[in-house]
Each structure stands twice: as structure tokens, then as C-alpha cells.
């Protein structure tokens, strides 16, 4: 796992968290003052734009995906995008200020930590016994190799905002005032798509009862009684974390590396350039609940690189190989399809459908296969 991934995760998690004083525990279901759906939508929008940043806190975020995919090979860390397609994982976070935060990503037999303290950051990987010291750019210093890029990090507020942005005449909205998440009383907004082509049955957003910040997001697929995807706090405490949480000294015997982002200037890692180019090639078709993303896809790019007998690969190559194996496992479940648009393979899950065309396109969305075929023919 490259250091840029956990740094981005930490920054986004820190920015995503927002809550006020802890609401006292109650017996039975909490009951909050009644508010209409329109009022809650306005409150949520105002909370997202609130100045001053999040409060000091510590907590645990858990993300669970049950899309009906086959068991995937181990990804060697919970930050892998493909690792988020199945199973459950958690992130522990401590937030003291914009430049004082820590994120821990527990693994099966190891743990990675990012500790940001002032203009420096440590990335500790117990699995490889490697500590990377990262000096962040000084104020006003420019660097294209940003310490806080904007990947799609799965935090309650980030995910909730994506759904809130879709609320329009194509969405039914209702609200209850008796939810409870991580010991906090919460309102629950229920968003119901009206579009027949969407695979989403409903989305439940739990908003904090005092400050209206999202504490949990549950996405239900049509025909399913349990959420196909869920992300939310399981524990949260809104007090200043102890200073020791942001102090780090590499253990004896650990491999220590250094990276100064301020000195990278206009340089950008090759993998960053590739990701930027791929993002620029994405075309979005449709709107709202039936949006479909279309981007170039190289047939065979999913095949893992062959390893010679006795060869030891660097950690990043091993990680890339496991991701390729996971993608191969998913593609093995694909069904051959064809039509006037051409031919390809269709991958169907409870919540997402993807079409890989033989002419080099990948179409994906939370839509029915018929919707993808329509877009493929345009």
C-alpha cells in the first residue's frame, strides 16, 4: 500500500467527521423532536458547509459490503478499492486538529497507521516493518504530489453527501426520529428512487440528532431485506484525544524511509498520472439514480503478472498481483452477452452492474443490465 492512500484516507475522514456533544444514552428507542424531510435536508446541507472544521474526537468506522460477489483473494490491507467490494472492515480515527490526526487500518495479521502531527506524517506498516516519514509541504508551498488527493474514501459523510446530491423529483423522501447509531440519537432519512432502471430499493441516512451530521449510511438493493452496503460509526467519543496518539517513534529494527512532498515540486508519481488520466477519460451518461459511467478498458489488463520460481516481488507488486487476482475472480462470474451494440461480458451483483465490451469499454452503474445495454448502443 503506498503512503498516499492512507494519507488521503486520514484527511478525508478527518474532514468528514462532524458532531457535537454526546447525547446521553437512553433506554428504548430515542425520540427526537419531529422534523420534516425538507427541514432535515436543509439541516444536513447546512451542516456540511459549516465553517470551523470538525470537533476533536476519536471513534471507529465500520464498512460492510454484501453484493453477492464470490470470495475474493486477500488484498493485503483494508484500503484496497477491491477489498471494499466484499466483507467487512473498520477504520479507527483520532482527530485533534487539521494537522493532528491519526488513522489505523487493522488487517488480519498486521496494522497500518498514519499519524499526522504538524508538517510531518508517519506511515507505519507493521506487516512490512516499515516506517515512512513524510514531510508535508509548508504553507504556501506548491506540489502536484498532493498529500491529500481526493480518492473515493468510504466515510459516512462522504457517502451520504453523494446520495443527498441526488435528491430531486425522482426521489421519494421520508423521515423517522427514533434511530440510534453508536449510542447517539439520530434522525433517519429514507431515500427511495422512483426510476425503474435503478437497482437501489432505498437508502437510509442516519443524521445526528443535534448537529445533523451523517453517522451511518445503509443501501438496500431491490429484493433484499439486509443492506448490500453499509458504512457508519460503531463507536465515537467527542473529546480531545491524548497527545500520545499523535506521537510516533519507529520500533527498533524497523526499516525507515523518508519522503518530502515539498521537494517533489511538479513531479508526480507514474501511478498518480495514470489515475489522473483514467479519471479524465470517464464519461457519465444519464443522471440521478440511473447514472452510468463509461470509460476505456483494456482486455487482459486484469491478468496477474506471472512470477518466476524463487522470485521475490516488492510489496507493491504483490499488492497489485492480489488485486489482479481479485478482479480475475470477479470476471470469472461474468456472462457473455451480445446485441446490435456489439458483444462483451456482463457482471451482475445486487447493487452494481458492469458491462465489459469487446471494443474496449467498461460501463458500470447501480442499474439493471437493460440500462447498460441501452447506453452501450448510444
Amino acid at each position: 500500500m503506498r503512503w498516499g492512500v492512507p494519507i488521503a484516507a486520514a484527511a478525508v475522514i478527518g474532514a468528514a467527521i462532524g458532531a457535537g456533544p454526546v447525547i446521553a444514552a437512553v433506554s428504548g428507542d430515542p425520540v427526537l423532536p419531529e422534523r420534516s424531510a425538507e427541514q432535515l435536508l436543509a439541516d444536513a446541507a447546512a451542516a456540511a458547509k459549516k465553517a470551523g472544521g470538525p470537533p476533536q474526537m476519536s471513534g471507529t468506522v465500520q464498512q460492510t459490503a454484501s453484493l453477492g460477489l464470490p470470495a475474493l483473494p486477500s488484498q493485503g490491507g483494508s484500503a484496497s478499492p477491491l477489498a471494499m467490494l466484499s466483507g467487512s472492515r473498520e477504520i479507527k480515527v483520532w482527530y485533534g486538529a487539521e494537522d493532528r490526526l491519526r488513522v489505523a487500518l487493522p488487517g488480519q495479521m498486521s496494522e497500518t497507521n498514519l499519524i499526522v502531527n504538524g508538517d510531518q506524517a508517519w506511515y507505519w506498516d507493521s506487516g512490512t516493518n516499515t516506517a515512512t516519514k513524510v514531510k508535508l509541504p509548508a504553507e504556501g508551498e506548491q506540489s502536484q504530489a498532493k498529500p491529500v488527493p481526493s480518492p473515493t474514501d468510504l466515510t459516512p459523510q462522504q457517502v451520504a453527501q453523494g446520495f443527498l446530491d441526488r435528491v430531486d423529483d425522482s426521489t421519494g423522501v421520508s423521515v423517522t426520529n427514533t434511530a440510534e447509531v453508536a449510542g447517539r440519537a439520530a434522525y433517519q432519512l429514507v431515500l427511495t428512487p422512483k426510476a425503474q432502471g435503478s437497482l437501489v430499493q432505498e437508502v437510509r441516512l442516519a443524521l445526528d440528532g443535534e448537529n445533523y451530521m451523517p453517522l451511518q449510511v445503509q443501501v438496500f438493493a431491490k429484493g433484499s431485506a439486509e443492506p448490500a452496503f453499509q458504512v457508519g460509526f460503531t463507536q465515537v467519543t467527542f473529546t480531545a484525544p491524548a497527545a500520545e496518539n499523535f506521537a510516533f517513534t519507529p520500533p527498533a529494527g524497523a526499516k525507515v524511509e523518508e519522503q518530502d512532498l515539498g521537494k517533489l515540486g511538479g513531479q508526480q508519481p507514474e501511478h498518480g498520472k495514470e489515475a489522473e488520466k483514467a479519471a479524465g477519460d470517464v464519461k457519465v451518461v444519464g443522471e440521478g439514480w440511473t447514472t452510468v459511467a463509461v470509460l476505456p478498458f483494456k482486455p487482459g489488463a486484469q491478468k496477474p503478472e506471472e512470477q518466476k520460481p524463487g522470485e521475490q516481488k516488492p510489496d507493491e507488486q504483490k499488492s497489485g498481483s492480489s488485486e489482479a487476482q481479485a478482479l480475475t475472480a470477479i470476471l470469472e462470474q461474468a456472462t457473455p452477452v451480445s446485441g446490435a451494440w456489439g458483444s462483451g461480458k456482463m457482471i451482475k451483483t445486487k447493487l452494481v452492474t458492469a458491462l465489459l465490451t469487446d471494443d474496449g469499454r467498461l460501463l458500470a452503474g447501480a442499474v439493471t443490465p437493460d440500462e447498460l445495454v441501452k447506453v452501450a448502443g448510444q
Side-chain angles (χ1 to χ4, degrees):
M1 190 194 312
R2 299 181 178 92
W3 55 262
V5 175
I7 288 181
V12 176
I13 290 171
I17 296 168
V22 177
I23 297 176
V26 295
S27 58
D29 292 334
V31 178
L32 294 167
E34 292 188 3
R35 297 188 70 78
S36 68
E38 290 77 11
Q39 287 174 318
L40 279 178
L41 288 172
D43 292 334
K49 298 177 181 179
K50 185 177 180 180
Q56 296 176 317
M57 59 78 63
S58 60
T60 301
V61 176
Q62 185 176 63
Q63 179 255 316
T64 303
S66 179
L67 305 182
L69 289 169
L72 301 179
S74 173
Q75 298 301 296
S78 57
S80 165
L82 286 178
M84 296 179 179
L85 295 178
S86 65
S88 180
R89 57 208 45 82
E90 68 177 23
I91 300 173
K92 296 183 178 181
V93 59
W94 297 259
Y95 184 84
E98 196 173 78
D99 60 349
R100 286 170 59 83
L101 56 92
R102 175 182 176 183
V103 170
L105 302 166
Q108 292 183 348
M109 300 295 292
S110 63
E111 181 174 286
T112 57
N113 273 256
L114 171 80
I115 303 100
V116 177
N117 196 353
D119 64 348
Q120 292 187 341
W122 281 100
Y123 173 48
W124 164 243
D125 186 343
S126 67
T128 60
N129 197 32
T130 302
T132 303
K133 185 178 182 180
V134 183
K135 188 176 186 301
L136 306 181
E139 185 176 355
E141 192 172 10
Q142 299 296 320
S143 173
Q144 288 188 352
K146 298 178 182 178
V148 287
S150 301
T152 304
D153 291 284
L154 301 178
T155 62
Q157 187 169 336
Q158 286 289 99
V159 177
Q161 193 58 52
F163 287 114
L164 290 171
D165 289 341
R166 298 188 183 190
V167 177
D168 54 20
D169 292 340
S170 67
T171 307
V173 185
S174 61
V175 61
T176 62
N177 61 341
T178 58
E180 184 175 349
V181 176
R184 297 178 64 84
Y187 291 98
Q188 184 164 266
L189 273 172
V190 181
L191 311 181
T192 306
K194 298 178 182 179
Q196 294 298 315
S198 174
L199 292 179
V200 179
Q201 175 177 296
E202 66 180 29
V203 177
R204 301 177 186 177
L205 308 178
L207 306 180
D208 186 89
E210 285 194 352
N211 50 54
Y212 312 109
M213 291 295 179
L215 299 177
Q216 179 176 265
V217 179
Q218 296 175 305
V219 185
F220 291 78
K222 290 182 177 178
S224 297
E226 299 295 328
F229 175 82
Q230 175 174 303
V231 59
F233 288 102
T234 58
Q235 180 275 329
V236 63
T237 302
F238 295 97
T239 56
E244 62 191 39
N245 288 302
F246 309 109
F248 177 78
T249 300
K255 178 182 178 182
V256 179
E257 301 175 345
E258 293 190 6
Q259 178 69 74
D260 187 342
L261 294 186
K263 292 183 179 180
L264 288 180
Q267 299 179 25
Q268 188 173 8
E270 287 300 319
H271 65 273
K273 295 178 181 179
E274 293 172 1
E276 184 177 317
K277 182 179 184 301
D281 290 338
V282 176
K283 177 183 178 182
V284 177
V285 179
E287 58 184 16
W289 299 98
T290 56
T291 297
V292 173
V294 184
L295 64 157
F297 177 81
K298 290 183 179 181
Q302 76 281 2
K303 295 180 180 179
E305 181 181 347
E306 294 185 2
Q307 181 175 351
K308 297 179 182 179
E311 179 184 10
Q312 295 295 321
K313 291 190 175 185
D315 295 326
E316 63 270 17
Q317 290 183 344
K318 292 180 181 179
S319 175
S321 176
S322 63
E323 289 193 6
Q325 292 173 10
L327 184 54
T328 299
I330 295 174
L331 292 175
E332 288 176 350
Q333 306 298 313
T335 303
V337 291
S338 61
W341 50 270
S343 59
K345 293 183 178 181
M346 186 79 72
I347 302 171
K348 294 181 288 185
T349 73
K350 295 178 183 178
L351 203 58
V352 178
T353 307
L355 173 61
L356 303 172
T357 66
D358 292 339
D359 60 7
R361 292 177 292 162
L362 167 61
L363 297 85
V367 298
T368 62
D370 288 343
E371 289 292 322
L372 285 189
V373 169
K374 290 179 184 177
V375 175
Q378 293 178 2

